[in-house]
Amino acid sequence: MMNVIEKGILAPRQQADVSPIADASLELAADKLGLAIDTTGASCGVGLFRGTRPLVEIIIERGRTHSASLVPAIEQSLSLLDAAVADIDYYMVTTGPGSFTGIRIGLATVKGMAFPAGAPIIPVTSLAALAAPFCASSVAPGVADISLGAEPPLVVSQLDARSERLYAGAMLGHQCLVPPHATHCRAWTEQIFDELIPTYAASTPAPRLIVVGSGSQTLVTHPYWQERLSAQPLLVEYIPDQRLSARGVALAASQAVASYQQAAFVSPEALTAFYISKSQAERLAEKSGHEN
């Protein structure tokens, strides 16, 4: 049985409705228990997995209250399996970009849990976790109402950083084509249409582009995107409301292991945040220092 907290209300959901991607190359060890956590956005995601098979997943949508919600959600997940922290073999966590406070809460919690036993951690970016459910030739049911066909699509994920700024990245299958970085709508549009799509289309008879994440609406409504798309017709599927989840974290972690093997794991001491940009407080401090 999988359980999901929707807006603070615990609701059961049959495990058969949330099967993971059926791709053996993505599997982590099926006999190991992994805890996946995401606290980089407005919602808080916690899940327990064996390989990519979900056992329990909890999503809390109460705004940014991760400091109060995360540990109880972890405890509830473990209790549903009659398990303890000592039973967790490894951890998976998003390191950013996203909410600076949320990132710190998630990383501090995972470090504190993993440190006593020296349990390994698989860090993944929030953009990788957004893209992961769409990066294979089939998609986990319940992730989105979408069918991908035989070939993996080009997946561009972006988070809204305001004022036409984005945190963006691109994936094709297990391959990271463009690592997460800070950009603007026009520059990202140029990179997608001038670099990514031509390279992808040259090797794929029916190229498909999936645009996912909170920055998607900002990107695809930008006049320059509309101009480029009208000049280069392409099958594009927009999924702006795809939220970060523990399931996406687990899939991104399994893809990282498939690509990097042991190098995908870090020790609790080596786990660090991936902010991309400086916080508002840091920018204000720098500005104040320059003025003084």
Side-chain angles (χ1 to χ4, degrees):
M1 176 73 71
M2 171 174 288
N3 292 269
V4 179
I5 290 183
E6 298 284 357
K7 298 182 180 177
I9 302 173
L10 184 64
R13 185 182 290 180
Q14 294 298 320
Q15 187 167 320
D17 295 337
V18 286
S19 303
I21 288 178
D23 185 339
S25 66
L26 298 183
E27 292 293 332
L28 292 167
D31 61 336
K32 302 295 184 181
L33 183 65
L35 173 67
I37 289 174
D38 172 68
T39 55
T40 60
S43 61
C44 175
V46 172
L48 288 167
F49 298 79
R50 291 199 185 276
T52 53
R53 182 169 67 90
L55 304 176
V56 174
E57 184 176 12
I58 290 177
I59 300 171
I60 300 173
E61 295 182 331
R62 297 175 182 157
R64 301 184 189 278
T65 60
H66 305 331
S67 58
S69 304
L70 179 57
V71 171
I74 294 171
E75 292 174 344
Q76 185 176 18
S77 298
L78 290 168
S79 68
L80 288 169
L81 297 183
D82 195 23
V85 172
D87 297 318
I88 300 173
D89 296 296
Y90 62 94
Y91 295 81
M92 303 163 282
V93 62
T94 42
T95 58
S99 161
F100 282 70
T101 301
I103 292 168
R104 293 186 183 107
I105 290 169
L107 297 192
T109 301
V110 167
K111 281 186 175 184
M113 295 178 68
F115 185 80
I121 301 168
I122 308 173
V124 301
T125 69
S126 50
L127 291 169
L130 270 174
F134 308 98
C135 287
S137 57
S138 60
V139 167
V143 173
D145 184 16
I146 183 172
S147 176
L148 299 183
E151 297 293 332
L154 173 62
V155 182
V156 294
S157 53
Q158 41 276 311
L159 297 172
D160 193 346
R162 300 180 182 177
S163 302
E164 297 187 358
R165 293 182 296 117
L166 303 168
Y167 298 134
M171 299 283 294
L172 180 62
H174 300 177
Q175 183 182 5
C176 177
L177 300 181
V178 181
H181 66 293
T183 185
H184 289 77
C185 283
R186 187 179 183 90
W188 186 225
T189 298
E190 287 182 344
Q191 189 168 5
I192 291 171
F193 281 92
D194 294 342
E195 299 175 20
L196 295 177
I197 291 176
T199 301
Y200 172 51
S203 60
T204 305
R208 301 177 69 183
L209 176 66
I210 292 181
V211 183
V212 63
S214 64
S216 300
Q217 190 71 17
T218 301
L219 177 67
V220 303
T221 57
H222 193 277
Y224 189 57
W225 174 277
Q226 297 290 333
E227 176 187 333
R228 294 300 303 267
L229 186 62
S230 64
Q232 186 174 351
L234 181 73
L235 178 57
V236 182
E237 300 187 56
Y238 305 112
I239 312 176
D241 57 351
Q242 174 69 15
R243 64 187 173 192
L244 285 157
S245 66
R247 190 179 346 176
V249 175
L251 290 171
S254 65
Q255 291 168 8
V257 171
S259 297
Y260 305 111
Q261 303 300 315
Q262 195 61 33
F265 295 87
V266 301
S267 66
E269 298 89 339
L271 182 65
T272 57
F274 182 60
Y275 296 124
I276 293 185
S277 63
K278 296 179 180 179
S279 69
Q280 183 178 7
E282 290 172 321
R283 292 195 299 269
L284 289 174
E286 287 184 354
K287 182 178 179 181
S288 176
H290 291 153
E291 290 176 350
N292 294 334

